[in-house]
Amino acid sequence: MPYAFTMNIVFDFGNVLVEWNPVQLLSEHFPDAKRLPLSLPDLAVALIEHQDWRDFDRGVLTADELAYRTANRLELDRSSLSAFIEQIPHVLPVLQGPVGAVVALTGGAAAATGSTSPQHRVLYLSNMPVTFAAVLERRCPWISRFEGGIFSGREQLCKPDAAIYEALERRYALDAADTLFLDDSPANVAAARARGWQAELIDRPERVATVLAERGVLPI
């Protein structure tokens, strides 16, 4: 049954609204993988799972600082690595199905004229470096449909730390029990549930529409 009251629907970005596939991104930027010190899957883990990248997400490390530290640590060419980091937000593929759900939730095409009043509040909560967020906001006009949200780099907070969930609750006066969170990380989903949010793991893009239909937020 559809919800008879307003739900707060909170979207992650990576692998929920835009594709996040570091191995694929690396393969496109470094076509001669044999020249790299690690295999592409191992390089993706060494780059993305390191504390330096987490600090980049959190907004306490710049892209230049990240490139310098990572190039030294992994014996990579610094200029090539800098170029790779810089181009990532420009080439991240948009997941059209989930974005279509955001458009539908925010009033569809009629929302541009202000002629509708969507029933549910639609926000985002994403681990996203400052520079990436700025590029995506320019690339993706549908982001303006959100009532608002938090990108980690601008708050110097990151999921799954409880503080970033609390920050979103406080800023938008969210009732945890009426908040539905969609994220591709089990740790992030668990952290949301620990605060009393409803949360669903998105393990493939098609699951966004499925979850929203099952919850009665969007028609099947």
Side-chain angles (χ1 to χ4, degrees):
M1 293 291 292
Y3 285 99
F5 53 88
T6 299
M7 284 290 293
N8 312 306
I9 304 168
V10 182
F11 288 81
D12 178 33
F13 264 66
N15 287 331
V16 177
L17 296 171
V18 297
E19 182 181 313
W20 176 238
N21 186 336
V23 174
Q24 180 64 31
L25 292 168
L26 286 165
S27 70
E28 293 170 356
H29 189 78
F30 298 100
D32 191 0
K34 292 180 180 179
R35 294 180 176 272
L36 297 173
L38 298 169
S39 69
L40 289 176
D42 287 343
L43 180 58
V45 170
L47 175 62
I48 305 300
E49 300 300 325
H50 193 271
Q51 184 62 45
D52 286 344
W53 191 279
R54 297 188 184 99
D55 288 343
F56 181 46
D57 264 348
R58 189 177 283 106
V60 297
L61 201 67
T62 68
D64 286 344
E65 290 168 334
L66 173 66
Y68 176 78
R69 292 187 184 189
T70 305
N72 287 341
R73 178 168 56 86
L74 300 179
E75 299 182 350
L76 295 169
D77 178 74
R78 180 181 173 185
S79 62
S80 183
L81 184 59
S82 291
F84 169 70
I85 295 168
E86 190 277 333
Q87 60 91 37
I88 287 174
H90 296 275
V91 299
L92 288 176
V94 172
L95 299 173
Q96 296 298 336
V99 168
V102 170
V103 171
L105 284 167
T106 54
T113 67
S115 60
T116 65
S117 298
Q119 179 183 0
H120 303 293
R121 301 175 70 191
V122 184
L123 303 113
Y124 59 83
L125 182 64
S126 178
N127 285 352
M128 186 76 66
V130 173
T131 52
F132 287 19
V135 171
L136 285 173
E137 286 170 335
R138 293 195 298 270
R139 276 188 60 201
C140 305
W142 46 267
I143 294 177
S144 66
R145 287 178 168 268
F146 286 94
E147 177 182 338
I150 287 177
F151 287 125
S152 61
R154 292 174 176 166
E155 299 295 317
Q156 297 192 347
L157 298 170
C158 264
K159 296 177 293 183
D161 294 345
I164 194 169
Y165 300 85
E166 182 182 5
L168 192 76
E169 292 169 2
R170 184 173 59 251
R171 182 168 303 172
Y172 296 99
L174 303 185
D175 184 329
D178 296 338
T179 299
L180 173 62
F181 181 49
L182 309 180
D183 196 290
D184 72 319
S185 163
N188 295 345
V189 167
R193 289 174 177 167
R195 294 198 64 80
W197 295 18
Q198 303 175 53
E200 295 282 353
L201 182 66
I202 303 301
D203 55 4
R204 60 191 185 282
E206 297 80 8
R207 182 146 171 75
V208 170
T210 299
V211 166
L212 294 176
E214 289 174 348
R215 297 298 187 111
V217 174
L218 283 180
I220 298 175

